Amino acid sequence: MVDISQYMTKAHDMGLVDGTVPVEYYTSPEYFQREQAMIFRRAWLMVGRVEEVGNPGDFVVRKIPTLSANVIIAHGKDGQVRAFHNSCSHRGVALVCEERGNALTFRCPYHAWLYRIDGSLNAVPSAQDFPHVDKAKNGLAPIHLDTWNGFIFLNFADTPEVSLREFLAGLDVMLDGAPFDQFPFYVQVTDEIDCNWKNLVNAFNEGYHVAILHQKTLRPAVVPQENPHLNYLDIKQFGPHSAGTVQRNFDYNPDAPVLSWVYSQMLPTSAPDQQAIAEGRAGFYEHPGINRLNIPNFGTETITIFPNISLQPLANGYLFYQFWPLSHNRMRMEVRIYSRHAPKNLREEFAMAHTLAATRDVVVEDMAMSRLQQIGLETGGKKVQNFGENEPLLRMFTRDYEAYLAGGGMLPGQDSAEAAE
């Protein structure tokens, strides 16, 4: 048995001494409104991958439900990727109705005002009736966009308080070059849940619940004997973001014929892809920012990007989770499973379907418990939640959440007083 106790990161190791959190953070409409203004309109928000708009003219439309925003992300003829509000300068109509496509212009379906792929206004029918409209000043309204490691981020502030690199606070340095681009194919599951969004952010930031809630789904394959509560190892802080190492149970050997067959078609998540390595395509497990301890039964790295992203690199792909608040007690969850390519045959198609179903089962357990949690919080009997020493990332998230609501938090170590100066 491997002694990993020295690597378990507890709350006191991170200087996080406050273990209580007000319930009203999770039940108050007023706090939701403050989150919209002070977090989601200030932070850089991850919204997709550059591969989704890989060629000039490619575009996708993204809904940002927390801000009621509808966004066009487009790859211009000049090679630059830009983002715009999906709103015509004439009467505000959402001019792009497709979810994705390729075009060099966007034409409003109401009065045919025409925009180039770079957002500039190209033509106005009956232009003589709009002498006050300067085409140079009436293109699509831009949104600040930047990329890191192929991920697209948007910032909805009039002027971002910090650059994307400053916002990532060193997480980008640790993970620069991680091969996310090797896994462009994804399948997605989306659902809405009657709970506060932070319930699920917290669920993905601790392993304490895995052996109980996921006892028939994750526990056999994930929870090792030497770490029965699945404490995260070697937690690193990067401003409001974090990365923590999660083990896997290498003693797991499924007996069921279907499971055994699936595992033979798709490598277990903790097994390096030897064929890819032989072809010079080293995966996540060869990256120095992943499994920094080099523990033998490494499972994944849980990477949290504030406020609403969880990434989990695996040997043959990665998992992407996004949590969008819709109100104080309702949220939208988006789950993507990324892999190298679409299934090439029936065997791979079956294995992918099984993987998707297994992921769905685990997520449904988390969603159901988060709904039960919301019911309990809203009954009003408790005024605080208690976060344990084995839940340091929950305490960390709360600390940074409070800093953002107070007007700080944009730079590592910045508090609200510094932000106000």
Side-chain angles (χ1 to χ4, degrees):
M1 184 182 298
V2 179
D3 180 13
I4 47 82
S5 59
Q6 60 182 313
Y7 304 127
M8 292 184 181
T9 305
K10 297 298 182 73
H12 65 265
D13 298 324
M14 300 171 64
L16 300 166
V17 297
D18 189 355
T20 60
V21 179
V23 165
E24 64 178 340
Y25 290 178
Y26 294 74
T27 60
S28 165
E30 289 74 20
Y31 269 97
F32 168 65
Q33 293 171 5
R34 291 173 63 184
E35 292 167 1
Q36 289 175 295
M38 301 306 294
I39 297 178
F40 286 88
R41 288 198 179 276
R42 297 173 61 221
W44 286 91
L45 305 175
M46 187 190 291
V47 295
R49 293 281 308 167
V50 293
E51 293 90 353
E52 298 178 72
V53 287
N55 300 306
D58 285 353
F59 68 88
V60 295
V61 173
R62 283 281 183 272
K63 295 179 181 178
I64 313 299
T66 305
L67 302 177
S68 300
N70 196 284
V71 178
I72 304 167
I73 300 172
H75 187 149
K77 293 169 61 178
D78 58 358
Q80 184 173 344
V81 178
R82 301 177 176 87
F84 312 98
H85 288 281
N86 189 8
S87 177
C88 180
S89 300
H90 177 211
R91 302 266 289 279
V93 168
L95 69 159
V96 181
C97 301
E98 301 91 343
E99 291 185 1
R100 62 183 63 245
N102 184 282
L104 295 180
T105 58
F106 302 122
R107 184 183 299 274
C108 179
Y110 201 4
H111 299 95
W113 284 36
L114 188 67
Y115 301 83
R116 299 182 184 91
I117 192 73
D118 64 5
S120 60
L121 180 57
N122 184 41
V124 176
S126 189
Q128 68 274 12
D129 291 318
F130 296 88
H132 61 291
V133 173
D134 183 346
K135 287 196 294 185
K137 298 179 180 179
N138 281 274
L140 300 177
I143 302 168
H144 300 283
L145 181 150
D146 203 349
T147 62
W148 161 72
N149 222 342
F151 290 105
I152 298 172
F153 288 78
L154 302 181
N155 190 295
F156 285 83
D158 291 337
T159 302
E161 298 172 47
V162 296
S163 68
L164 175 59
R165 286 281 178 167
E166 290 173 316
F167 173 75
L168 291 172
L171 179 66
D172 54 321
V173 176
M174 187 183 80
L175 293 176
D176 265 349
F180 292 101
D181 60 332
Q182 292 186 20
F183 306 93
F185 175 76
Y186 70 89
V187 291
Q188 178 169 313
V189 177
T190 302
D191 206 348
E192 294 187 7
I193 312 103
D194 289 330
C195 72
N196 187 276
W197 64 290
K198 297 184 290 297
N199 290 357
L200 275 162
V201 170
N202 290 341
F204 279 75
N205 269 319
E206 50 91 354
Y208 185 34
H209 72 284
V210 172
I212 307 301
L213 179 61
H214 303 308
Q215 57 183 303
K216 294 183 179 180
T217 51
L218 277 184
R219 179 178 179 175
V222 171
V223 179
Q225 183 179 354
E226 70 271 16
N227 190 0
H229 298 301
L230 203 63
N231 288 288
Y232 287 6
L233 311 180
D234 190 36
I235 292 176
K236 302 296 184 186
Q237 299 181 74
F238 306 89
H241 323 295
S242 64
T245 300
V246 182
Q247 292 175 280
R248 189 172 181 85
N249 180 18
F250 264 27
D251 294 328
Y252 176 61
N253 185 19
D255 295 327
V258 172
L259 278 180
S260 299
W261 187 83
V262 166
Y263 266 59
S264 70
Q265 302 306 312
M266 293 185 69
L267 291 170
T269 56
S270 51
D273 187 338
Q274 298 298 338
Q275 180 179 349
I277 294 173
E279 296 172 356
R281 295 179 286 120
F284 286 110
Y285 290 6
E286 286 71 51
H287 190 276
I290 305 295
N291 190 17
R292 298 170 298 280
L293 300 173
N294 290 318
I295 55 174
N297 62 336
F298 174 71
T300 187
E301 200 77 30
T302 291
I303 300 162
T304 301
I305 300 179
F306 188 89
N308 66 334
I309 293 289
S310 179
L311 297 175
Q312 296 180 357
L314 308 172
N316 306 292
Y318 64 98
L319 302 177
F320 171 100
Y321 304 93
Q322 189 155 38
F323 315 100
W324 292 112
L326 304 178
S327 70
H328 67 286
N329 59 5
R330 189 166 176 81
M331 63 160 292
R332 177 178 177 179
M333 183 177 184
E334 298 177 3
V335 182
R336 292 185 180 185
I337 304 173
Y338 281 86
S339 58
R340 291 193 187 277
H341 52 75
K344 295 180 178 180
N345 51 52
L346 288 177
R347 291 188 174 194
E348 291 184 359
E349 188 172 338
F350 179 86
M352 173 62 76
H354 184 278
T355 301
L356 179 61
T359 303
R360 178 206 61 202
D361 290 347
V362 173
V363 170
V364 165
E365 290 172 336
D366 285 315
M367 292 191 301
M369 190 56 60
S370 293
R371 174 59 184 144
L372 288 178
Q373 181 182 8
Q374 193 68 28
I375 292 172
L377 294 175
E378 292 186 351
T379 193
K382 299 293 184 180
K383 301 304 179 186
V384 298
Q385 293 187 68
N386 289 290
F387 294 164
E389 282 285 336
N390 60 343
E391 298 173 319
L393 291 177
L394 278 60
R395 295 190 188 186
M396 175 185 163
F397 181 90
T398 302
R399 177 200 66 192
D400 297 318
Y401 170 86
E402 291 174 338
Y404 264 79
L405 291 189
M410 294 300 290
L411 290 172
Q414 181 191 49
D415 60 23
S416 58
E418 293 172 322
E421 292 178 357

